[in-house]
Amino acid sequence: MSASRMLTGDRPTGRLHLGHYVGSIANRVKLHQRYQSFFIIADLHMLTTRNSRQDIEQVSRNAREMVTDILAAGVEPERATFYLQSAIPEVGDLNTLFQNLITVPRLERVPSLKEMARDAGKDEMPYGLLGYPVLQAADILCVKGQVVPVGKDNAAHVEVTREIARRFNHLYGEVFPVPEMIMSETPTLVGTDGSGKMSKSRGNAIALSDDAATVRRKVMGMYTDPNRVRADVPGTVEGNPVFAYHDVFNPDRAQVEELKARYRAGRVGDVEVKEALAVVLNRFLDPVRERRARFEATSGLVDELIFQGTERTRAEVHRTLVEVRRAMGLTSAYTQVRRRAERYRKAVATPA
């Protein structure tokens, strides 16, 4: 490999939001300049929690929207390979082989799986969701990814990948790199309603593609200090989503500190603090909107990027799978069967 490889991506369940940006996309924008970058559209992972016919029918549109969001955020198309996970069946073969290198109790200790099941309204853990980190290991290692940018909620998944890579190399020889995690510098972004992290399914997200009026409306409806009934009542800054967003997105630190001091002293209303935040977020999103408009202006461009990236990735994954099967001895097993069958056919075809 001429350059170190990065694997990252998302499930195509809708447009990306500010939580995605601070959790991983900001890292991707910086890192894709340094690494050979693969961006997975993880529709097989989507099936672990959303597998209705309607969900699947939305994959193409959602994939297009998701890739457009990533490009709009600053990823350059000539430096990124986007691919559709379900269009590469060899990933499933690798997933099957990896399943034997990890135990059920180990997977049950991955903390985010129960949370994912709960968020999806599942009373019991589906088999596919329990194996989510194993399929993710196949995603990362099928292109021999060496770095994976992650948020803290996904770090345990990538640790499973690292364990599988080490286990495979120990049993069958050095085939896979043990990928390194590059953690996001920003903690999980709380939702606009103040209850848990920002999430599309919870309806508490500000999308990267939201227009200015929508952003302002969502900001003005944000949860703040529930004990503050008037502007002259001292308020709490800690745990207040409005100030959490100011801390992440407002580059004017003097303004942020002034607003915090006035808020704690009961000398500024929620409306003024939110108005300032709406201005900050729209200023941040304006160049994202401009880039999105450029990519949307050419019909079929994003689809072409996904198609070409998928074709390229499938060729890469095929080479990896050949190497894996050879290292494990699976190729040799079938070769022996084939050669004996050929000798048998020759024997029965030759008169005594």
Side-chain angles (χ1 to χ4, degrees):
M1 294 177 285
S2 59
S4 296
R5 289 185 173 181
M6 177 178 77
L7 187 285
T8 186
D10 302 280
R11 298 187 296 169
T13 56
R15 293 187 171 185
L16 303 182
H17 52 63
L18 292 178
H20 291 119
Y21 182 85
V22 302
S24 60
I25 296 175
N27 253 352
R28 300 173 192 177
V29 172
K30 292 185 294 185
L31 295 171
H32 89 291
Q33 298 285 352
R34 294 166 45 194
Y35 297 102
Q36 188 180 359
S37 301
F38 290 81
F39 288 78
I40 182 174
I41 303 164
D43 55 333
L44 294 181
H45 285 293
M46 181 196 76
L47 299 180
T48 60
T49 57
R50 300 175 66 167
N51 54 18
S52 71
R53 189 61 179 264
Q54 184 177 9
D55 290 327
I56 297 170
E57 288 174 349
Q58 296 299 315
V59 166
S60 176
R61 180 181 64 82
N62 286 345
R64 189 180 308 111
E65 295 286 359
M66 188 180 83
V67 171
T68 304
D69 280 335
I70 294 171
L71 293 170
V75 168
E76 299 173 8
E78 63 273 14
R79 302 185 67 89
T81 299
F82 298 96
Y83 71 96
L84 186 63
Q85 184 186 29
S86 64
I88 305 178
E90 293 88 349
V91 172
D93 295 340
L94 199 57
N95 178 52
T96 298
L97 298 175
F98 285 170
Q99 288 171 357
N100 302 301
L101 303 180
I102 198 82
T103 67
V104 169
R106 173 65 183 89
L107 293 174
E108 289 176 334
R109 292 198 299 271
V110 176
S112 59
L113 295 182
K114 291 181 181 179
E115 181 182 344
M116 292 173 68
R118 184 175 62 252
D119 290 346
K122 305 288 185 182
D123 296 327
E124 296 180 317
M125 178 79 68
Y127 171 80
L129 183 55
L130 181 65
Y132 192 112
V134 183
L135 180 56
Q136 193 169 54
D139 297 327
I140 296 168
L141 298 177
C142 73
V143 295
K144 297 191 175 182
Q146 292 155 293
V147 295
V148 183
V150 294
K152 65 178 183 179
D153 58 341
N154 211 22
H157 291 201
V158 181
E159 188 55 47
V160 170
T161 298
R162 289 165 52 81
E163 293 174 18
I164 288 176
R166 286 193 292 262
R167 179 66 174 163
F168 186 97
N169 292 344
H170 173 73
L171 289 173
Y172 307 114
E174 295 290 327
V175 172
F176 295 115
V178 178
E180 296 295 328
M181 288 183 276
I182 301 179
M183 301 297 296
S184 169
E185 297 175 359
T186 305
T188 301
L189 191 66
V190 67
T192 56
D193 58 358
S195 61
K197 67 180 181 180
M198 185 174 285
S199 168
K200 291 171 287 189
S201 61
R202 294 177 180 173
N204 63 358
I206 296 175
L208 295 178
S209 54
D210 281 343
D211 60 29
T214 300
V215 169
R216 185 181 184 281
R217 174 178 57 79
K218 289 181 178 180
V219 169
M220 299 309 294
M222 285 180 69
Y223 176 89
T224 56
D225 183 348
N227 298 316
R228 196 167 192 252
V229 294
R230 298 190 315 273
D232 60 352
V233 174
T236 301
V237 168
E238 292 73 22
N240 189 320
V242 178
F243 283 102
Y245 285 36
H246 269 295
D247 284 337
V248 174
F249 294 102
N250 193 339
D252 187 343
R253 305 315 303 164
Q255 181 191 38
V256 174
E257 293 307 315
E258 183 211 14
L259 288 173
K260 287 181 178 180
R262 292 170 61 200
Y263 198 83
R264 290 186 176 110
R267 292 189 292 106
V268 64
D270 286 341
V271 171
E272 182 179 342
V273 178
K274 290 179 178 180
E275 289 279 10
L277 178 61
V279 171
V280 166
L281 291 182
N282 277 319
R283 188 179 297 136
F284 169 78
L285 287 172
D286 277 342
V288 176
R289 296 180 184 122
E290 292 174 8
R291 286 191 293 267
R292 167 176 271 274
R294 291 203 301 271
F295 287 107
E296 289 179 330
T298 305
S299 177
L301 172 60
V302 173
D303 297 87
E304 173 68 8
L305 291 173
I306 296 171
F307 173 75
Q308 292 293 344
T310 301
E311 292 295 300
R312 180 196 169 195
T313 303
R314 186 169 187 185
E316 294 280 353
V317 177
H318 178 74
R319 284 192 287 270
T320 298
L321 189 59
V322 169
E323 186 177 357
V324 165
R325 292 174 65 86
R326 184 180 297 120
M328 295 180 70
L330 295 174
T331 302
S332 175
Y334 185 69
T335 297
Q336 292 179 37
V337 169
R338 177 175 54 80
R339 288 174 179 172
R340 289 182 180 181
E342 289 173 350
R343 289 197 294 270
Y344 168 78
R345 288 198 300 268
K346 288 179 181 179
V348 299
T350 302

